[in-house]
Amino acid sequence: MKKLFEEKTVLISGGLGDIGKAIAIAFAKSGANVAVGDIQPSAQAASLLNELTQLSVKCSYTQVDVSDAAAVDAWVTEATNAFGTVHIAIANAATVTIAGLYKITDEQWSKELRVNLDGAFYVSRAVTSRLLQQDQKGSVVFVGSWAAEAVHAHIPAYSVSKAGMRMLCQCMALELAPHGITVNEIAPGYVDAGLSRKVWEQSPAQKEDARLKVPVQALITAEEVAEQVLRLSDPGNKHITGSILLMDGGLSLVR
Ligand SMILES: NC(=O)c1ccc[n+]([C@@H]2O[C@H](COP(=O)([O-])OP(=O)(O)OC[C@H]3O[C@@H](n4cnc5c(N)ncnc54)[C@H](O)[C@@H]3O)[C@@H](O)[C@H]2O)c1
């Protein structure tokens, strides 16, 4: 039986992070070829590429800084040359600086917006402009956060970047709607992986506090995020666009 994403190619930024890797593996299991990009050196990608190859899909790795528009464009050109068409873009790369408005430096503020917001724009624009040129349908999923709407005073740059990403998602969804390209956001709450896990490793008590704060009393796994990203990328979907899939276990209901 044909797999859902067979003959499709997905491009994932921040693909060596915990959530990015889970997304790459989930797509490969569903038959997609995978172009992974991350700022980390190529040697760091070896085990993921090995795992993807064992799933019998084509894959590639490019070291790329998403805040550099020209580098992103070169990455998408390389992926297009290798795979034909890149049908799906997952804008996932991000950093977080824990520093309030009067502690964060200008450099930290600007870097966070450049990576999280500008980077998401460069990646989604580079993929969808080629889809338009090739007259192909496809999808974009922005990996956002519940922090886009719930005030997190200790991570203002991150929250502002994710709020900006939300409007970017909606503007792009409207522009691309007549072209059969859907654009959506997944907004996870506390994920037991990546950026949050790094914080909780320094302070394990905070992790249990976080879990107990969530109405469903559970942290999200990277694999659970990936599952929802695949749903939003379903080639059969034409009606769900410009939407935000809030996946926070009810966290935002109690704040
Ligand atoms: N972990 C959570 O609790 C959580 C919750 C909500 C949303 N998210 C979102 O999930 C996404 C993935 O985060 P994660 O938790 O897996 O963190 P992670 O740190 O494991 O992954 C982020 C990846 O982005 C890469 N990256 C950073 N700067 C880059 C740049 N300039 N260019 C290219 N790549 C760059 C990093 O090298 C890393 O591999 C992010 O968008 C994050 O905001 C995470």
Side-chain angles (χ1 to χ4, degrees):
M1 206 175 93
K2 198 175 164 192
K3 293 182 178 171
L4 187 58
F5 291 98
E6 239 170 74
E7 294 163 21
K8 303 286 182 205
T9 295
V10 59
L11 179 137
I12 307 168
S13 70
L16 295 187
D18 286 349
I19 293 174
K21 273 186 199 167
I23 295 171
I25 290 164
F27 268 110
K29 283 183 177 163
S30 296
N33 297 322
V34 188
V36 177
D38 200 290
I39 201 161
Q40 298 179 43
S42 300
Q44 300 295 115
S47 84
L48 176 63
L49 291 181
N50 190 29
E51 198 167 340
L52 295 174
T53 307
Q54 284 180 14
L55 291 165
S56 309
V57 296
K58 288 192 250 169
C59 57
S60 65
Y61 179 73
T62 304
Q63 184 178 12
V64 60
D65 178 352
V66 292
S67 67
D68 177 342
V72 169
D73 212 58
W75 171 34
V76 177
T77 300
E78 183 187 303
T80 305
N81 291 340
F83 300 113
T85 297
V86 175
H87 305 88
I88 304 161
I90 312 295
N92 168 71
T95 60
V96 63
T97 304
I98 301 174
L101 286 174
Y102 301 95
K103 291 268 165 58
I104 195 164
T105 66
D106 293 353
E107 290 70 28
Q108 287 171 322
W109 176 270
S110 147
K111 184 182 169 212
E112 199 123 313
L113 287 169
R114 287 197 47 69
V115 174
N116 299 6
L117 178 57
D118 298 0
F121 173 51
Y122 299 149
V123 169
S124 53
R125 179 183 61 178
V127 169
T128 54
S129 61
R130 282 166 182 78
L131 285 173
L132 291 173
Q133 281 159 14
Q134 296 177 330
D135 199 19
Q136 292 270 357
K137 297 182 174 166
S139 60
V140 176
V141 178
F142 291 103
V143 182
S145 167
W146 76 298
E149 60 192 30
V151 177
H152 286 63
H154 64 301
I155 48 169
Y158 180 81
S159 307
V160 168
S161 72
K162 294 295 184 182
M165 176 191 259
R166 184 157 294 181
M167 185 48 72
L168 166 65
C169 169
Q170 294 179 343
C171 290
M172 191 172 278
L174 186 56
E175 284 229 23
L176 295 178
H179 302 281
I181 302 170
T182 61
V183 184
N184 292 291
E185 177 196 328
I186 175 97
Y190 294 143
V191 185
D192 186 10
L195 299 176
S196 298
R197 186 183 281 167
K198 280 170 216 155
V199 174
W200 292 330
E201 272 166 7
Q202 309 299 318
S203 161
Q206 268 187 27
K207 178 173 168 180
E208 185 56 7
D209 286 351
R211 188 184 72 79
L212 293 173
K213 251 194 249 168
V214 186
V216 303
Q217 307 247 302
L219 300 172
I220 307 161
T221 65
E223 290 70 27
E224 287 170 328
V225 176
E227 202 180 313
Q228 298 308 322
V229 168
L230 262 68
R231 275 180 209 271
L232 290 174
S233 313
D234 187 330
N237 163 45
K238 42 178 185 208
H239 301 293
I240 302 172
T241 196
S243 74
I244 297 131
L245 181 55
L246 180 62
M247 183 190 185
D248 70 352
L251 251 183
S252 49
L253 302 176
V254 289
R255 283 174 64 102

